[in-house]
Amino acid sequence: MSYRPIEDYAIIGDGLTAALVSRDGSIDWACFPRFDASSAFARILDSSRGGHFQAAPADDFTVSRRYLHNTNVLLTRFTTSGGEAELIDFMPVSHATDGPGRNRIIRRIRGLAGHVRFAVTLDPRFDYARVDPEWETRPEGVRAIAGQESIAVYAPLAWTLGRSGASTSFDIAAGETRWLVLEYNATPAAWQPADDGASQIALNDTCDYWRRWIGHCTFTSYADVVCRSALVLKLLAYAPTGAIVASPTTSLPERIGGVRNWDYRYAWVRDTAFCVYAFSLLGQFKEGERFFDWLLGVVPDGPESLQVMYGVDGERDLTEYELTHLSGYENSQPVRIGNAAYSQLQLDAYGDLLDTAFVLQKAGRPISKDLWPFLRGSADHVMKIWRQPDQGIWEMRSDPKHFVASKAHCWLALTRAARLARNGGLSGDVEGWVAAADAIMREIRDLGVDPATGSFRQAYGSDQVDASLLALQLRKVVKPGDPQMQATVERIERELDASRSGGDVRPGLIRRYRTSKVDDGLPPGEGVFLMCSFWLVDVYAESGRVDRARQLFERLLDYANDVGLYAEEFDPFEKRHLGNFPQAFTHVALINAAAALEDASSRA
């Protein structure tokens, strides 16, 4: 089997984990019982041995699909020469009663016209395809067992066992409905035959859950795309703790055949802060409060021990290793589990943390007496460490550098702490924070500007420009009219825009930086970073270039897949998505850009 393009997938989830469903009705990625657990279906990382669960017409078909309005429930419509049928895929949001250890994927097949013959294959490969299951069949369905884990599909059909798992087929006529109920159990469980009525109630309840949540959001004029991005972010939140994973996948490559393949199934402090900021723009503040509650729980020793990322339940050890038995997506190796960046120093995380708290305070959410000591301690810690080099927002795997964006976020952390204290009547070393922030800004103006171009530069002593510098304007470190900021934007347009490389590429697709082994310790080559392109929309809008911002924003909307999802990166030459999917960073930046456009249009 050949690999499906990354953009051919859609996502479903239950607040504990998620699954990727291809356009041909195959679930090719799912980890149970939570986002960062081992996979049971991983065909997206190894087409021959990864495992999958497919339900699709046995004959040739065409496909259209969409999410049910304001939900994360996926509807796929198949048309064959003999008829038409629809497949609804969803995961019941049952964490409140079931909790981790039990997940369900429910698939409803309904005939719409004529007759369609469906073929179903269940082929789980537990523990990242290192364990082949044993099987049980009963009139109620079929079950795969691996040690204490099991996956059952409850459907009263004639199942056949073979080298590729369990399979069955059936005809569906117009007006007929069949249910396939997959259930994962982390501990042995009794057989529970499917109840069609209960499955329909679960579908109704799941739709109601998503619609109630999104109904509390406020939208811009781009309501449909903002709504979809918000639903993606909510789907990436781990319900028991409120931690938000950067993406539900691992090792989808940033270049086909390349080595920049990372595990993103963890909660970055920075990424979660970005998500909370986006939620606040939509009037959703509970996620921010849950984020800080989670953070206080995972950093009991204070901000000095703050890590870059954690497991969704607060795990600190995310040791990275390679799964050499998996071929990787389109033979892109290695396949990595864990993420070595968890032990890096990334100074920008403190700025995003305190800026998020400031946003919540401005929205009328007071800083709690439990949270303020942590935020105050974070500012005090930044005063001690801001002169250190770090790995930066892009998690360079080379020697630490004095990244200008990192220094700017230290400035942000200290100024936000001072304003939090003043606005809330809170105690703290406000004068010391302000003095240190002034010192940081003087150093940025002195060492962080390229004398040849007058622009900010990637790091002290570097002649490179970096798209992370756009954050200096977005986070109000400098004003839109700042001459050095304007020079920086011009350099980014000139040096990092993929359209400058030739080919049929429209302007506005921005690379993070110019990759090289000298700069980041890895072989060069990756797609354009979609978040940076949405950042550029934001910068244009704030600078009063509203028409240009709107044109770029609407151009970027064209790069979403057919159900409104984005990966981390995009190959503008091959016109395909790259990197882990869907990516929280991209959807956050879309929401922020839409809000910036709305604000700029209002001012105009």
Side-chain angles (χ1 to χ4, degrees), residues 461-478:
S462 170
D463 63 353
Q464 303 289 315
V465 71
D466 188 313
S468 66
L469 296 168
L470 295 172
L472 272 66
Q473 179 173 323
L474 301 182
R475 293 289 184 264
K476 310 297 190 293
V477 179
V478 299

Side-chain angles (χ1 to χ4, degrees), residues 266-385:
Y266 307 112
W268 271 253
V269 172
R270 172 203 308 111
D271 296 38
T272 304
F274 279 14
C275 292
V276 168
Y277 183 87
F279 282 136
S280 70
L281 293 175
L282 304 177
Q284 289 280 20
F285 300 106
K286 289 184 179 179
E287 278 69 21
E289 293 164 353
R290 291 206 71 199
F291 163 58
F292 283 115
D293 288 343
W294 169 75
L295 194 64
L296 292 176
V298 300
V299 196
D301 300 328
E304 294 83 359
S305 63
L306 181 70
Q307 290 186 180
V308 172
M309 71 186 90
Y310 298 88
V312 293
D313 230 357
E315 293 82 359
R316 300 177 66 87
D317 184 355
L318 305 179
T319 300
E320 181 177 297
Y321 63 96
E322 297 178 4
L323 298 179
T324 56
H325 66 287
L326 294 178
S327 62
Y329 179 82
E330 294 195 13
N331 297 312
S332 302
Q333 295 181 329
V335 174
R336 291 184 174 93
I337 301 300
N339 198 309
Y342 82 94
S343 60
Q344 290 183 350
L345 175 63
Q346 297 176 20
L347 294 172
D348 62 291
Y350 291 97
D352 292 316
L353 186 66
L354 281 147
D355 190 47
T356 300
F358 177 67
V359 168
L360 292 175
Q361 186 192 60
K362 282 180 62 179
R365 304 284 175 164
I367 303 302
S368 71
K369 59 182 177 58
D370 294 326
L371 178 59
W372 177 241
F374 181 86
L375 298 177
R376 180 179 60 207
S378 296
D380 291 339
H381 187 55
V382 168
M383 281 203 298
K384 299 174 184 176
I385 65 172

Side-chain angles (χ1 to χ4, degrees), residues 51-95:
H52 68 290
F53 175 31
Q54 185 169 17
D59 301 322
D60 292 341
F61 56 83
T62 59
V63 175
S64 64
R65 61 181 182 169
R66 61 182 175 86
Y67 284 104
L68 298 187
H69 182 62
N70 282 351
T71 76
N72 282 311
V73 175
L74 180 68
L75 184 150
T76 304
R77 180 166 291 181
F78 299 104
T79 301
T80 71
S81 59
E84 194 172 25
E86 69 178 22
L87 169 67
I88 282 182
D89 285 311
F90 70 100
M91 297 181 72
V93 187
S94 55
H95 47 77

Side-chain angles (χ1 to χ4, degrees), residues 114-424:
H115 290 77
V116 179
R117 185 156 189 81
F118 265 77
V120 179
T121 302
L122 174 67
D123 185 23
R125 305 291 180 90
F126 293 88
D127 192 23
Y128 300 114
R130 290 181 289 200
V131 178
D132 292 331
E134 298 177 351
W135 291 90
E136 291 181 356
T137 59
R138 292 193 182 188
E140 306 98 303
V142 63
R143 174 185 284 173
I145 304 169
Q148 293 296 303
E149 295 181 283
S150 70
I151 285 179
V153 169
Y154 297 112
L157 298 164
W159 292 89
T160 301
L161 299 181
R163 299 178 68 179
S164 298
S167 61
T168 189
S169 60
F170 55 87
D171 290 320
I172 193 99
E176 293 181 343
T177 298
R178 281 193 178 273
W179 297 84
L180 305 174
V181 180
L182 179 148
E183 182 171 285
Y184 167 86
N185 280 287
T187 56
W191 282 80
Q192 298 180 5
D195 180 332
D196 292 355
S199 294
Q200 183 62 52
I201 291 172
L203 173 57
N204 296 340
D205 289 347
T206 301
C207 289
D208 288 344
Y209 170 84
W210 293 117
R211 287 168 179 157
R212 282 196 307 271
W213 182 82
I214 202 69
H216 292 292
C217 294
T218 53
F219 301 131
T220 68
S221 55
Y222 292 97
D224 289 344
V225 294
V226 170
C227 171
R228 177 51 48 203
S229 289
L231 285 165
V232 170
L233 297 182
K234 181 62 175 175
L235 191 147
L236 298 181
Y238 184 64
T241 63
I244 301 175
V245 298
S247 178
T249 60
T250 180
S251 299
L252 294 183
E254 297 173 10
R255 185 182 70 172
I256 301 301
V259 301
R260 296 170 183 265
N261 318 320
W262 313 112
D263 192 347
Y264 279 5
R265 299 170 300 152
Y266 307 112
W268 271 253
V269 172
R270 172 203 308 111
D271 296 38
T272 304
F274 279 14
C275 292
V276 168
Y277 183 87
F279 282 136
S280 70
L281 293 175
L282 304 177
Q284 289 280 20
F285 300 106
K286 289 184 179 179
E287 278 69 21
E289 293 164 353
R290 291 206 71 199
F291 163 58
F292 283 115
D293 288 343
W294 169 75
L295 194 64
L296 292 176
V298 300
V299 196
D301 300 328
E304 294 83 359
S305 63
L306 181 70
Q307 290 186 180
V308 172
M309 71 186 90
Y310 298 88
V312 293
D313 230 357
E315 293 82 359
R316 300 177 66 87
D317 184 355
L318 305 179
T319 300
E320 181 177 297
Y321 63 96
E322 297 178 4
L323 298 179
T324 56
H325 66 287
L326 294 178
S327 62
Y329 179 82
E330 294 195 13
N331 297 312
S332 302
Q333 295 181 329
V335 174
R336 291 184 174 93
I337 301 300
N339 198 309
Y342 82 94
S343 60
Q344 290 183 350
L345 175 63
Q346 297 176 20
L347 294 172
D348 62 291
Y350 291 97
D352 292 316
L353 186 66
L354 281 147
D355 190 47
T356 300
F358 177 67
V359 168
L360 292 175
Q361 186 192 60
K362 282 180 62 179
R365 304 284 175 164
I367 303 302
S368 71
K369 59 182 177 58
D370 294 326
L371 178 59
W372 177 241
F374 181 86
L375 298 177
R376 180 179 60 207
S378 296
D380 291 339
H381 187 55
V382 168
M383 281 203 298
K384 299 174 184 176
I385 65 172
W386 72 265
R387 290 185 173 86
Q388 297 181 28
D390 74 336
Q391 259 77 28
I393 184 175
W394 308 132
E395 303 183 343
M396 303 291 196
R397 297 204 171 193
S398 55
D399 292 337
K401 299 178 182 178
H402 292 281
F403 289 102
V404 173
S406 296
K407 304 300 184 187
H409 276 79
C410 290
W411 177 94
L412 183 69
L414 295 169
T415 56
R416 292 296 183 262
R419 294 187 68 177
L420 283 165
R422 288 167 174 162
N423 294 345

Side-chain angles (χ1 to χ4, degrees), residues 15-43:
L16 298 169
T17 189
L20 295 188
V21 187
S22 70
R23 284 177 58 84
D24 57 0
S26 185
I27 295 174
D28 289 347
W29 177 256
C31 299
F32 300 114
R34 60 185 226 182
F35 291 106
D36 53 0
S38 61
S39 66
F41 303 120
R43 187 158 70 166

